Amino acid sequence: MDSEDDMQDAWGGESDGNLSNENEEEDEEVSQSNEPDYGFDDFAADDDINPSSRLPQSNYTILSEADIRQRQDEAINTITNFLSVSKMEAGILLRHFKWSVSKVNDEWFADEESVRKCVGLTATRAENRRRSQTENLKCAICFEMHPLSRMKASPGCGHYFCETCWTGYIHTAINDGPGCLTLRCADPVCGSAIGEDMVLGLVVEEDRLKYKRYLLRSFVEDNRKAKWCPAPGCEYAVELGFVSGAGSYDVVCKCSHNFCWNCLEEAHRPVDCETVARWILKNSAESENMNWILANSKPCPKCKRPIEKNQGCMHITCTPPCKFEFCWLCLGAWTDHGERTGGFYACNRYEAAKQEGVYDEADRRRDMAKNSLERYTHYYERWATNESSRAKAFSDLIQMQAVHIEKLSDKQCQPVSQLKFVTEAWLQIVECRRVLKWTYAYGYYLPNHEHAKRHFFEYLQGEAEAGLERLHQCAEKDLQEFLEGDTWQNNFNDFRTKLAGLTSVTRTYFEKIVRALENGLQDVVQGQGAQGSHVAQGSRRR
Amino acid sequence: MSGTTANSNLPRRIIKETQRLLSEPAPGISASPSEENLRYFNVMILGPTQSPYEGGVFKLELFLPEEYPMAAPKVRFLTKIYHPNIDKLGRICLDILKDKWSPALQIRTVLLSIQALLSAPNPDDPLAENIAKHWKTDEAQAVATAREWTRLYATGA
């Protein structure tokens, strides 16, 4: 297939904008020269190439705590203005309606009375008569008489309790969890909401911090559009704008964690959330152990414990307390063995029985388990290898940004801003490793009987692997020369062109493969029975 | 915390509630604190008239946790009772004992609510699943069973 030189010819120092034309021409050449029609370059030739475009960006925003606070303030201000309510009341309404400004508006204007009742913003006041500051009142919680100055009324309903009891009441609620955000008056039949003003005015510092934390968290945790980044120790949240039709939820947090917003596992395009869940379960499941045991052991004929025969003769003695002695081949008692069964170490009872078909069933089961285990191991190993490769590439990227870029800038007398293409290349490698890794989970679940699809899939995967190797090689080995030796400026420009070109073509290829797999390899179904070239053309028309 | 220390700094509210429970008991209800632990009450509730529990005397235990009155008292039937909201361990399904608790409620109000629950079982919010089912499919028969249990377990003794 394409050698590295071919690749370079294709780029030939052209700017990105001209790449597609260049490739169109090559397309024809390739078809004429009878090579497979779905090469790496062909794939790249589709559509126009925009170096800045990664995988289709879904619409999402990374929110820091300060951003969240700002959003909360904005929402509260909007509601305050629209509904002419206090900020505290706006906060209560927004928390009740999961921070959806439009929902608050809709519900409020549909039936203000029932919304007020529901969230506890009732206008009914307990007792409204004027009280003199010297008057003594009985607190209905501690049953003590207090002067009015030591009593406090909830601003919403006017129910009086002493300050100590209010504080205790609120303290208990805060320590019970986020339910404190919808706290109601301590009077059992009142139901009037206790807002943050009153809460923060009464409690000790520790409770203040907890309460404020719950306030902040509610914006993310109650909100259907926002989730916390699942990376350990990360404090960012991700807010989703709208979901793209493709149904991909992959997002990249500012902490650089790349995850699926929907299932919160690591990013897994082109595989869907359900497959990922199955794959992860499979990787961790006990079932693989069972398969191994089935494939590599036989149960002791007496105590039924599985025994692995890793060496030695056919005379097996089970471990204590069983100690049963038997023949590995026929599983019969060793005492029945001797000259008449063909000798101690060559049990012909087994051979005879096998010819009669006695052991076929058990053997077949073992074979099947062994095959399925081998099949799984095949995919798992490649999945895991690509993962460690991705992790390595990621640490290389960090190293590159931290040390090598500056070194390169010195050696090649290039401003750092001109070396962005190196980081771009490494970012692409990390991303490709991730995609490639998940194609193995995809391959594992691709039904065996769909031969055409499987064939096509393996071809695409092989091309992807080869293309990525080229890029990886260039970014790693070729770059090394420029980092270590003194080289001509001119030469470096060639390197730039080559690496940038490879990055771009690899990116495009991977975008295509992701789309093709997400489509369930639809093109194959359309062109079932057709040759590879038809398949490729079907895809290109898309 | 041991009984004696708990007793020595018993909040005024508990003392007052106890005094009032003893001096002006609610009709059909008696509650008296245990001598060793003043937060533990022995309670008796008379089966309300016109209910299947009429004529029965039901024993309960009531305990005021450390956080009381910020947290609800813990109450449990000691006498066996056939009721859709009370399970075989005597645990009671009643909102004010859980999320609807308010520190402005009292032992008295809690016990009155339990008495009311005996008059008006609520099989739509069941604790004892099979009793609730019985109640909904054949109320007359369920009531008869409740009456029978009252006679067996809540009289005499």
Side-chain angles (χ1 to χ4, degrees), chain A residues 331-434:
Chain A
L331 296 179
W334 193 251
T335 47
D336 295 340
H337 283 66
E339 294 301 336
R340 62 197 162 82
T341 60
F344 282 105
Y345 301 106
C347 174
N348 66 1
R349 288 162 50 122
Y350 176 73
E351 285 305 318
K354 192 170 185 176
Q355 264 166 16
E356 283 163 28
V358 172
Y359 292 111
D360 281 6
E361 182 55 25
D363 271 0
R364 207 171 31 243
R365 260 190 31 230
R366 248 194 295 282
D367 273 355
M368 265 171 63
K370 200 159 187 165
N371 285 343
S372 108
L373 185 64
E374 268 165 15
R375 184 169 172 283
Y376 168 69
T377 314
H378 171 91
Y379 286 98
Y380 179 77
E381 272 173 7
R382 281 155 186 79
W383 180 82
T385 311
N386 273 295
E387 166 56 20
S388 52
S389 213
R390 188 201 61 80
K392 174 74 171 63
F394 186 72
S395 68
D396 286 351
L397 167 68
I398 302 293
Q399 175 79 355
M400 192 64 64
Q401 284 167 324
V403 186
H404 291 166
I405 285 288
E406 214 160 308
K407 195 171 157 195
L408 197 63
S409 164
D410 281 355
K411 283 238 156 134
Q412 304 298 332
C413 310
Q414 297 272 346
V416 170
S417 61
Q418 289 295 302
L419 297 174
K420 241 176 128 182
F421 73 97
V422 178
T423 341
E424 291 265 319
W426 279 96
L427 275 168
Q428 194 56 48
I429 292 169
V430 173
E431 167 67 10
C432 288
R433 285 285 169 214
R434 194 190 60 67

Side-chain angles (χ1 to χ4, degrees), chain A residues 377-536:
Chain A
T377 314
H378 171 91
Y379 286 98
Y380 179 77
E381 272 173 7
R382 281 155 186 79
W383 180 82
T385 311
N386 273 295
E387 166 56 20
S388 52
S389 213
R390 188 201 61 80
K392 174 74 171 63
F394 186 72
S395 68
D396 286 351
L397 167 68
I398 302 293
Q399 175 79 355
M400 192 64 64
Q401 284 167 324
V403 186
H404 291 166
I405 285 288
E406 214 160 308
K407 195 171 157 195
L408 197 63
S409 164
D410 281 355
K411 283 238 156 134
Q412 304 298 332
C413 310
Q414 297 272 346
V416 170
S417 61
Q418 289 295 302
L419 297 174
K420 241 176 128 182
F421 73 97
V422 178
T423 341
E424 291 265 319
W426 279 96
L427 275 168
Q428 194 56 48
I429 292 169
V430 173
E431 167 67 10
C432 288
R433 285 285 169 214
R434 194 190 60 67
V435 171
L436 203 51
K437 173 178 98 169
W438 284 110
T439 62
Y440 281 100
Y442 190 96
Y444 181 79
Y445 289 112
L446 196 59
N448 248 335
H449 59 268
E450 301 206 45
H451 294 296
K453 272 193 186 180
R454 177 157 284 283
H455 197 75
F456 184 45
F457 164 75
E458 277 163 7
Y459 177 68
L460 293 183
Q461 197 183 38
E463 285 295 294
E465 222 147 44
L468 176 55
E469 283 311 322
R470 273 196 291 268
L471 173 62
H472 210 149
Q473 166 103 8
C474 181
E476 200 167 62
K477 298 274 154 41
D478 295 9
L479 184 69
Q480 210 59 34
E481 291 173 26
F482 297 98
L483 271 173
E484 278 158 12
D486 299 316
T487 327
W488 293 85
Q489 182 79 13
N490 196 17
N491 199 354
F492 186 74
N493 276 338
D494 285 350
F495 168 70
R496 180 209 308 280
T497 313
K498 182 180 171 189
L499 186 60
L502 280 172
T503 306
S504 161
V505 77
T506 312
R507 170 185 305 138
T508 315
Y509 184 81
F510 271 79
E511 281 170 11
K512 304 259 151 140
I513 193 172
V514 161
R515 251 174 277 150
L517 298 191
E518 278 178 344
N519 261 337
L521 300 169
Q522 287 293 317
D523 303 321
V524 181
V525 177
Q526 285 159 16
Q528 195 112 49
Q531 292 299 310
S533 61
H534 288 116
V535 170

Side-chain angles (χ1 to χ4, degrees), chain A residues 9-265:
Chain A
D9 287 344
W11 315 121
E14 294 282 339
S15 71
D16 287 327
N18 292 337
L19 281 176
S20 359
N21 295 337
E22 189 85 23
N23 273 357
E24 290 296 342
E25 286 163 27
E26 207 197 36
D27 252 7
E28 287 163 27
E29 280 169 36
V30 171
S31 329
Q32 282 160 10
S33 64
N34 239 357
E35 274 188 349
D37 197 15
Y38 212 73
F40 198 77
D41 301 83
D42 283 356
F43 229 154
D46 287 14
D47 307 338
D48 50 328
I49 296 163
N50 172 8
S52 66
S53 82
R54 281 265 135 72
L55 290 170
Q57 294 261 320
S58 7
N59 223 309
Y60 64 88
T61 323
I62 312 294
L63 302 177
S64 68
E65 284 188 14
D67 296 332
I68 295 171
R69 260 181 227 110
Q70 197 192 335
R71 300 242 163 170
Q72 287 180 312
D73 288 346
E74 280 167 10
I76 287 172
N77 283 335
T78 311
I79 292 299
T80 309
N81 291 335
F82 279 10
L83 311 185
S84 310
V85 291
S86 73
K87 285 194 170 190
M88 186 208 68
E89 290 171 320
I92 289 169
L93 285 165
L94 280 163
R95 291 199 291 275
H96 183 83
F97 291 107
K98 304 188 183 312
W99 292 97
S100 163
V101 170
S102 59
K103 183 99 171 131
V104 172
N105 272 322
D106 291 354
E107 296 289 328
W108 183 269
F109 289 114
D111 190 350
E112 178 182 330
E113 198 54 37
S114 73
V115 169
R116 277 183 174 280
K117 204 170 163 215
C118 185
V119 303
L121 292 179
T122 39
T124 51
R125 297 189 56 89
E127 272 180 90
N128 239 345
R129 70 184 170 89
R130 287 186 149 274
R131 297 173 186 278
S132 83
Q133 283 296 308
T134 50
E135 192 180 352
N136 274 349
L137 283 178
K138 187 177 167 190
C139 168
I141 296 178
C142 64
F143 293 5
E144 304 285 341
M145 298 298 289
H146 298 284
L148 193 61
S149 58
R150 290 209 41 224
M151 297 288 281
K152 191 169 176 67
S154 146
C157 57
H159 281 116
Y160 276 97
F161 297 99
C162 77
E163 282 195 11
T164 317
C165 285
W166 267 124
T167 310
Y169 179 64
I170 295 169
H171 168 82
T172 309
I174 290 175
N175 286 285
D176 266 359
C180 63
L181 297 180
T182 53
L183 188 65
R184 303 300 174 97
C185 169
D187 184 279
V189 288
C190 172
S192 171
I194 305 295
E196 56 190 282
D197 301 6
M198 176 146 173
V199 170
L200 297 177
L202 282 173
V203 296
V204 295
E205 186 60 16
E206 191 193 342
D207 287 349
R208 271 177 75 89
L209 292 176
K210 274 190 194 165
Y211 187 81
K212 287 195 149 182
R213 187 85 209 144
Y214 285 132
L215 275 177
L216 182 88
R217 278 171 53 181
S218 89
F219 185 81
V220 176
E221 286 161 32
D222 296 346
N223 198 329
R224 285 202 197 98
K225 285 190 202 151
K227 284 181 186 172
W228 293 111
C229 168
C234 176
E235 290 185 341
Y236 290 109
V238 181
E239 188 184 55
L240 209 63
F242 61 87
V243 181
S244 63
S248 161
Y249 292 91
D250 286 5
V251 299
V252 186
C253 181
K254 264 191 196 146
C255 74
S256 87
H257 183 54
N258 195 346
F259 67 99
C260 167
W261 193 88
N262 188 42
C263 70
L264 297 181
E265 292 295 343

